[in-house]
Amino acid sequence: MRIFLPLISLTVLVLFSFSFPQDDLKASIIRGEALYGEYCIQCHLPNGKGVPGVNPPLAGSDYLLKQTEKSIRAVKYGQQGAIVVNGVSYNSYMPNPGLEDHEVADIMNYVLRSWGNKSKTIVTEAMVEGIQRQ
């Protein structure tokens, strides 16, 4: 019995590590970059720095990295109301881009790993499906 629990734990860990292989993450990031260019680049710019005082930066964004669920919600449903990014308040309107859940996951995986952002979070379609409008 003492060996059974560690063996089960190891099995779960191994299965989890294969649930989103690195190749899938790389493909998600590539798709996310293309989607970013289609839906996000106009406001957040090619360098992810946004427009000061108007559109928040994604590059080096503390909000993006610390408020990942809220960031996913913003990409999925749009954003309205004040948010604070890197100590600066933004109160602009981001329309709902009408993306599918897998597209939201791809964009998030791209921005979480671009312009100096270093997130260990891997956003999956299932994670996005679980995000509800508030």
Side-chain angles (χ1 to χ4, degrees):
M1 193 66 173
R2 289 183 185 170
I3 231 168
F4 186 70
L5 187 59
L7 190 58
I8 292 292
S9 297
L10 180 61
T11 302
V12 169
L13 182 62
V14 168
L15 290 175
F16 180 74
S17 68
F18 288 110
S19 66
F20 204 95
Q22 286 299 92
D23 288 344
D24 289 347
L25 176 59
K26 288 177 187 175
S28 175
I29 292 168
I30 290 168
R31 291 188 305 267
E33 181 177 19
L35 289 163
Y36 179 88
E38 189 173 339
Y39 292 96
C40 314
I41 204 167
Q42 301 85 348
C43 298
H44 296 286
L45 307 181
N47 60 9
K49 291 187 178 180
V51 178
V54 180
N55 299 317
L58 302 176
S61 168
D62 63 347
Y63 184 88
L64 178 68
L65 298 173
K66 293 178 183 175
Q67 302 288 337
T68 303
E69 185 174 318
K70 288 181 180 179
S71 298
I72 294 169
R73 185 174 289 111
V75 175
K76 184 173 179 174
Y77 297 112
Q79 170 71 39
Q80 189 171 348
I83 62 170
V84 176
V85 180
N86 299 339
V88 177
S89 182
Y90 293 86
N91 195 7
S92 54
Y93 172 74
M94 179 176 132
N96 181 338
L99 299 168
E100 301 290 329
D101 289 344
H102 67 277
E103 294 172 316
V104 172
D106 290 343
I107 288 173
M108 288 300 301
N109 285 323
Y110 171 67
V111 299
L112 287 169
R113 289 160 184 81
S114 297
W115 316 295
N117 295 332
K118 294 180 182 357
S119 175
K120 293 183 181 188
T121 300
I122 298 173
V123 180
T124 64
E125 183 177 358
M127 185 185 296
V128 176
E129 286 173 3
I131 303 289
Q132 301 300 313
R133 190 182 303 263
Q134 283 190 337

